[in-house]
Amino acid sequence: MRASKALSTQHSALSSKKEIHISGAEGLYDRSEVQGIFKKYIERALNHPKGKADKVIITIEDIKQKPGTIPALPLATVSCTRPSEGREISTALLQSLGISKSAINIALELIKKGGMRGAAIISVERGTRLEPDKERGVRVSRLGIKKLALKVLASRLSKYGINTDTVKEALILASKVASFKDVVAELCVSDDPDYTTGYVASGQYGYVRIPKIKREGGKSGGRAFFVKEGIDVEKIIRYLEKTPVIIGKVGLCKGIISLDEIINHPHQ
Ligand code: WAQ
Ligand code: MG
């Protein structure tokens, strides 16, 4: 699903079809679930805190390829009280994964600017932007979770009061991204003005939630995927956008822990 709003003509002197991205969603579902999901997506498109959509596109495709199965990343929340601390925490996590300060700054700037529909792909050392369409970014799609795994995940997240679609969808997305061998980490900040929790995800530390990473009411946000230098860009984009992948097993879910615990004792 993709919901957008046309920019009024006085703002779009450069392009007549400039539009603002309001909301997007995607998933892999059984045929019997399609109608229910369709309804849910429309509701989401038409009631979004980012604004009133004037165009909603929903695509339903029969995916013939059998999905590959991957595990979900383990999840934890780091304590964080304000955006400046959130920046420090995300920078510390990304740096300890070997990502250069300049690559991190490029991602932070991009997320501060916002407005992308997809994610940027950034190389870990030089900070080179690799996605062909830099305004749109790469949109991860064809991802889902098995019913039993979803049940287990819901019950683990409920323990911490975070059993929401937002958390579950983000964890599924981050797990697919992290499952590609050349991905080192992902940084995400929601573009939803009411949602201030972001995350850093990696195979090394799992899915680390960072509360208050942005200020309440901020409309910008975005995602950056940090990848090894010299990778095959077409291959990663094909995997993220087109290869069906489904979560078969859920990882450990923890409550609030310190950054030190995450960096020095991952997955314990
Ligand atoms: N593929 C690539 N990038 C995407 C996708 C996608 N499928 N969906 C969203 N993005 C990018 C896009 O640039 C958006 O502007 C940005 O991410 C934020 O998207 O555990 O809700 O849908 O509590 O606003 C994190 C949850 C929620 C943290 C993230 O992202 C938690 C969220 P949003
Ligand atoms: Mg959003």
Side-chain angles (χ1 to χ4, degrees):
M1 178 276 290
R2 177 182 166 203
S4 61
K5 180 167 74 177
L7 213 59
S8 63
T9 42
Q10 64 202 40
H11 292 114
S12 56
L14 291 173
S15 154
S16 57
K17 51 177 190 195
K18 204 80 183 138
E19 48 186 38
I20 301 173
H21 172 68
I22 299 282
S23 166
E26 44 275 296
L28 280 173
Y29 296 98
D30 286 339
R31 195 171 281 261
S32 61
E33 297 171 287
V34 170
Q35 285 200 346
I37 294 297
F38 187 85
K39 215 174 140 204
K40 193 168 128 181
Y41 279 2
I42 291 185
E43 268 158 29
R44 193 187 296 192
L46 299 179
N47 300 301
H48 200 277
K50 261 188 96 181
K52 212 166 164 236
D54 59 15
K55 183 164 87 179
V56 180
I57 298 173
I58 296 190
T59 309
I60 303 168
E61 271 179 285
D62 182 13
I63 306 294
K64 302 232 159 43
Q65 192 183 344
K66 194 172 179 282
T69 306
I70 56 160
L73 292 170
L75 173 148
T77 302
V78 72
S79 64
C80 174
T81 55
R82 53 185 193 282
S84 60
E85 194 184 0
R87 256 191 321 274
E88 283 163 25
I89 291 169
S90 47
T91 303
L93 280 166
L94 294 167
Q95 276 195 301
S96 80
L97 289 162
I99 300 164
S100 73
K101 196 73 205 290
S102 62
I104 296 169
N105 286 339
I106 285 167
L108 288 171
E109 281 306 307
L110 207 76
I111 288 173
K112 204 163 93 187
K113 191 162 148 251
M116 283 174 78
R117 185 152 73 82
I121 303 183
I122 299 175
S123 74
V124 287
E125 278 162 38
R126 294 191 204 140
T128 316
R129 290 278 299 280
L130 299 172
E131 74 282 9
D133 183 341
K134 308 237 171 351
E135 252 177 70
R136 173 186 181 269
V138 169
R139 189 90 197 169
V140 185
S141 194
R142 302 193 178 173
L143 68 180
I145 183 164
K146 288 188 180 168
K147 291 202 177 67
L148 188 58
L150 181 61
K151 259 193 173 165
V152 175
L153 178 63
S155 98
R156 291 191 186 169
L157 294 178
S158 293
K159 250 174 81 183
Y160 307 106
I162 52 170
N163 181 28
T164 64
D165 284 345
T166 307
V167 174
K168 285 181 283 195
E169 285 176 9
L171 177 66
I172 294 167
L173 186 149
S175 301
K176 179 175 182 185
V177 173
S179 72
F180 192 78
K181 62 176 179 13
D182 296 323
V183 169
V184 177
E186 173 188 353
L187 170 65
C188 167
V189 177
S190 173
D191 57 11
D192 183 334
D194 312 338
Y195 206 89
T196 58
T197 303
Y199 66 83
V200 169
S202 61
Q204 173 104 0
Y205 300 130
Y207 178 93
V208 180
R209 306 177 65 243
I210 308 173
K212 298 197 169 70
I213 195 168
K214 81 169 193 183
R215 69 172 176 86
E216 193 89 40
K219 278 193 180 155
S220 60
R223 278 185 161 91
F225 304 152
F226 296 96
V227 298
K228 293 178 188 157
E229 295 291 326
I231 65 154
D232 183 340
V233 181
E234 266 178 40
K235 200 166 159 190
I236 183 173
I237 294 177
R238 204 178 328 120
Y239 180 75
L240 296 175
E241 294 193 333
K242 299 274 193 262
T243 307
V245 160
I246 193 153
I247 290 182
K249 220 178 148 203
V250 174
L252 221 64
C253 297
K254 289 185 187 169
I256 298 174
I257 58 178
S258 71
L259 183 62
D260 174 70
E261 229 175 304
I262 289 165
I263 292 184
N264 297 316
H265 315 278
H267 310 326
Q268 279 175 17

